[in-house]
Amino acid sequence: MIKKAQMIEYIESIAPLLPVPLYWGDKNSIVLGVNKEVLKAAGARNYKDMVGKTPYDFYPEDMARNIILHNEKVMNTGETLSQEEAIRDISTGKTRYYNAVKAPLYNDNNKVIGFVGASIEITAEKEKLIAQKEAEQLKIANIKLEAENKLNQVILEKTALEANSERLRLENRIHKLEKEKHQLESAQQAQFRKIAAQVAHDIASPIFALQMILPRCDVLPENTRSALSKFSTRIIDITQNFLSQFKQKPEDGITINGITKTQASVYTELTEIITEKKYEYSNRSIKFVTEINSSSFFTFINVDIDAFKRMMSNLINNSVDALEDREGIITIHLDTIDERVQIIIEDNGKGISQEVRDKILNNITITSGKIDGYGIGFSQIRDTLANNEGIFSIDSQLGSGTKITLTFPKIETPNWITSKIELKLDDLVVIVDDEPYVHEAWECQFKTFSSNIIRRHFEHGKEAIQFLNALTDEEKKKVFLLTDYELLKQQLNGLDIINKTKIERSILVTSHHNDLEIRKQSINLEVKILPKELAFAVTIIINPNEKCFIIN
């Protein structure tokens, strides 16, 4: 198990890789460590300005109290929580605004020993919103004052009917302004989603690299690799918790009889739900275990995503209830068997009696088993399965636990997704990404199975275009291009590179694979997309002289 000192070492080893402010402290809110992004955000000169101190040592009392109260709430509840924080820049005295997401840190006895947090700056957006709201409030106040003066005048000079007409006109004008205010707030949310997308890009690259490198890093002891993997997963969980606040629903679903179904990646949706449940029950002694069969990483089903998530939430809540405040294990399995996708939720709780099981299977309403506001929820579960061609079974014994198996028909992988990279030994693999971590990860991936494949790496899209367009047509046919979509501050993206170079064998490796516009452009260019979070699971095929070697 990881001791306290070792946990801090693992955090310190990963923190420099993350391009967002990351910090961690003990139960007294004494800062144990920060990365360089925190120093820049706070205007600190060096680590000594912050490490070993509490927020009271470098922020005004009200700011410090707000931060410490939030830290204590995170540690006392065991939950991952977010809040907006106003921070004073130490060097300039200027107030800056951040969205802070914090999670508790545990020792090997599952006891909270401190907290770890990440903060995203929203100063420009916050100041703009404050100014716009003040302007709107002033405008509304002036109109209301004008309305009051005019109404008083109308009452004196006109009939009651005319006064009422004037009142309605002015109320409509105020209503219009209120509507404009709501539209402004919606636009602000869209801006925050844009920030969230930027965060996804910044954090995805180093974590993506860790996911690819760690399984193949033989120089590290197994326990060290395991610990680093667990902590990188923790950072991913914190990031997803933040991004979920701004996530938009998929726009490419088909609505039939009022139900909108979307081609959904089971692995992606399931891991997101499990992450949410880990945080929801982080103050409980519950171990969540995820077992994913490698055949299921690129499995898709046609489903109403919102209903699917509610169903999985209900089932996991039931498993938590069955543990009755005791320690326990909840295991979620994902497998693909023939043309069916199978999801199993298994717990070692109190189990379900034969009577209750029979009622559930025979669609009889269940009123028992309600704990802390949760019901068994099988009405919603049955409706979701019925509307999405799913079926379920229950295997349970009192005192031993419950296993619920859900089965859905597997659909063909969408034509814009790829799950494999096919190469020949004389190919040239060109990798374009603005983050050096990603290049190191791909190097590790390729060296694992073949050092003969030639690779060229580019962090700047224009340099890649110049190199590729200098090749002859015959040389271009031997190029396999792997390019990220978002290349920051380069005035072009990965699809631009593919379009300008006309490399026929190209794959877009991106965390923006759910963006409908990017999908459309990729389909038009006949380019496949490899989701960045699934790059570690991609199958690489080498086919020299028709003899096929598959590496996964």
Side-chain angles (χ1 to χ4, degrees), residues 292-303:
I292 310 292
N293 188 295
S294 60
S295 64
S296 302
F297 285 124
F298 291 91
T299 296
F300 284 74
I301 59 176
N302 204 28
V303 70

Side-chain angles (χ1 to χ4, degrees), residues 27 71-79 112 283:
K27 292 201 71 174
N71 296 345
E72 290 175 349
K73 186 175 181 181
V74 168
M75 291 183 286
N76 291 335
T77 63
E79 298 178 4
V112 175
N283 61 336

Side-chain angles (χ1 to χ4, degrees), residues 49 79 119 134 167 189 216 342 344 387 447 478:
D49 289 340
E79 298 178 4
S119 295
E134 288 177 347
R167 180 183 291 105
Q189 282 295 313
R216 298 171 174 83
Q342 187 179 83
I344 298 175
N387 293 331
K447 287 179 180 178
K478 294 185 178 182

Side-chain angles (χ1 to χ4, degrees), residues 266-267 270 290-297 299-301 308 311-312 315 331-346 385 389-394 403-411:
V266 188
Y267 170 79
L270 196 58
T290 306
E291 296 181 353
I292 310 292
N293 188 295
S294 60
S295 64
S296 302
F297 285 124
T299 296
F300 284 74
I301 59 176
F308 176 80
M311 176 185 67
M312 293 304 305
L315 289 169
T331 305
I332 296 94
H333 310 258
L334 173 61
D335 200 356
T336 304
I337 303 173
D338 296 326
E339 295 304 311
R340 310 291 291 180
V341 177
Q342 187 179 83
I343 302 170
I344 298 175
I345 303 93
E346 192 169 7
L385 292 168
E389 301 178 74
I391 58 175
F392 78 105
S393 64
I394 302 174
K403 180 171 78 172
I404 294 180
T405 303
L406 309 175
T407 306
F408 293 90
K410 173 188 172 184
I411 65 170

Side-chain angles (χ1 to χ4, degrees), residues 512-529:
H512 296 285
H513 52 89
N514 282 328
D515 187 304
L516 186 57
E517 185 57 36
I518 292 176
R519 289 188 196 176
K520 288 181 178 178
Q521 292 180 37
S522 298
I523 292 170
N524 289 338
L525 289 173
E526 298 183 350
V527 173
K528 300 284 188 180
I529 295 176

